[in-house]
């Protein structure tokens, strides 16, 4: 009985440890504006940053994106783009950078109106991008990061996928239990 309780508690601990904790979510919609020209529209949601969101950057990989251009910005915000280039670093990414001129995105609030156009050099439809959230206008002081998520298109809710760690732990637990019974 003690072993069963230990296994249950260990499994719960693994689930808690492996659950990603993000204080923000940046949702995107993508639309083709003709040929290889596309536009991303973003909504930034603050779920847990008490001081609010003042600055963020969304990154564009070299070799997949070019001709990045700010096409929309929320009221009382400003933005600039950085083109992906290979001149200084082969891994250098372009970025869409937005910062508040007045008031940050308060906790439990969201703000939309951010958009960027670009030429897509990849196959299919452009998708998820990496982003970073910064404190106090300091691009060195990252307070959160993650990957953008496709905004709900009015369909059913997405089915959450288990993380790799949970799958591995479950498989290992099953293997250990089956070996124990055989021995």
């Amino acid at each position: 009985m003690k072993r069963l309780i230990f296994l249950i508690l260990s499994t719960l601990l693994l689930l808690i440890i492996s659950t990603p904790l993000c204080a923000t979510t940046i949702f995107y919609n993508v639309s083709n504006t003709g040929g290889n020209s596309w536009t991303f529209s973003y909504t930034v949601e603050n779920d847990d940053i008490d001081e609010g969101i003042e600055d963020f950057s969304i990154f564009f990989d070299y070799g997949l994106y070019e001709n990045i251009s700010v096409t929309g910005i929320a009221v009382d915000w400003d933005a600039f783009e950085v083109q992906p280039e290979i001149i200084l670093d082969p891994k250098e990414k372009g970025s869409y950078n937005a910062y508040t001129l007045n008031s940050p995105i308060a906790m439990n609030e969201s703000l939309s109106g951010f958009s960027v156009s670009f030429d897509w050099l990849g196959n299919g439809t452009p998708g998820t991008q990496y982003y970073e959230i910064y404190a106090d206008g300091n691009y060195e002081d990252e307070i959160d990061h993650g990957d953008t998520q496709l905004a709900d298109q009015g369909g059913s809710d997405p089915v959450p996928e288990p993380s790799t760690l949970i799958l591995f732990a479950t498989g290992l637990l099953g293997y250990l239990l089956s070996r124990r019974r055989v021995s």
Side-chain angles (χ1 to χ4, degrees):
M1 184 67 172
K2 287 181 183 179
R3 288 184 184 154
L4 179 62
I5 292 172
F6 174 76
L7 287 174
I8 291 171
L9 291 175
S10 299
T11 303
L12 287 174
L13 180 62
L14 280 173
L15 287 172
I16 291 169
I17 290 172
S18 63
T19 302
L21 299 174
C22 290
T24 57
T25 307
I26 298 180
F27 294 100
Y28 73 91
N29 284 307
V30 62
S31 58
N32 184 281
T33 55
N36 68 337
S37 296
W38 294 78
T39 298
F40 275 127
S41 299
Y42 303 105
T43 299
V44 181
E45 190 173 281
N46 181 358
D47 297 326
D48 197 37
I49 299 175
D50 288 331
E51 62 272 16
I53 297 172
E54 297 181 25
D55 306 86
F56 66 90
S57 294
I58 301 172
F59 296 95
F60 294 79
D61 291 332
Y62 177 81
L64 290 178
Y65 300 91
E66 65 182 10
N67 301 321
I68 299 166
S69 178
V70 172
T71 54
I73 193 66
V75 175
D76 289 333
W77 282 68
D78 203 355
F80 63 94
E81 74 276 340
V82 175
Q83 300 299 321
E85 297 180 4
I86 198 166
I87 295 171
L88 300 175
D89 181 355
K91 296 179 183 176
E92 187 64 32
K93 297 176 184 250
S95 59
Y96 172 85
N97 309 280
Y99 56 94
T100 186
L101 298 172
N102 194 1
S103 55
I105 304 169
M107 188 163 61
N108 299 318
E109 298 284 327
S110 64
L111 185 62
S112 56
F114 304 100
S115 63
V116 61
S117 65
F118 56 91
D119 291 336
W120 173 241
L121 306 177
N123 295 320
T125 302
T128 300
Q129 300 169 277
Y130 178 75
Y131 68 83
E132 293 179 349
I133 307 293
Y134 307 104
D136 302 326
N138 181 356
Y139 287 96
E140 300 294 319
D141 190 8
E142 177 190 319
I143 57 176
D144 196 15
H145 64 271
D147 292 317
T148 59
Q149 297 179 22
L150 183 61
D152 184 17
Q153 300 295 313
S156 61
D157 290 336
V159 177
E161 297 179 14
S163 73
T164 304
L165 183 57
I166 291 172
L167 291 173
F168 176 75
T170 304
L172 181 62
L173 182 61
Y175 171 75
L176 292 174
L177 288 174
S178 68
R179 280 188 48 106
R180 187 168 204 101
R181 288 184 188 151
V182 172
S183 301

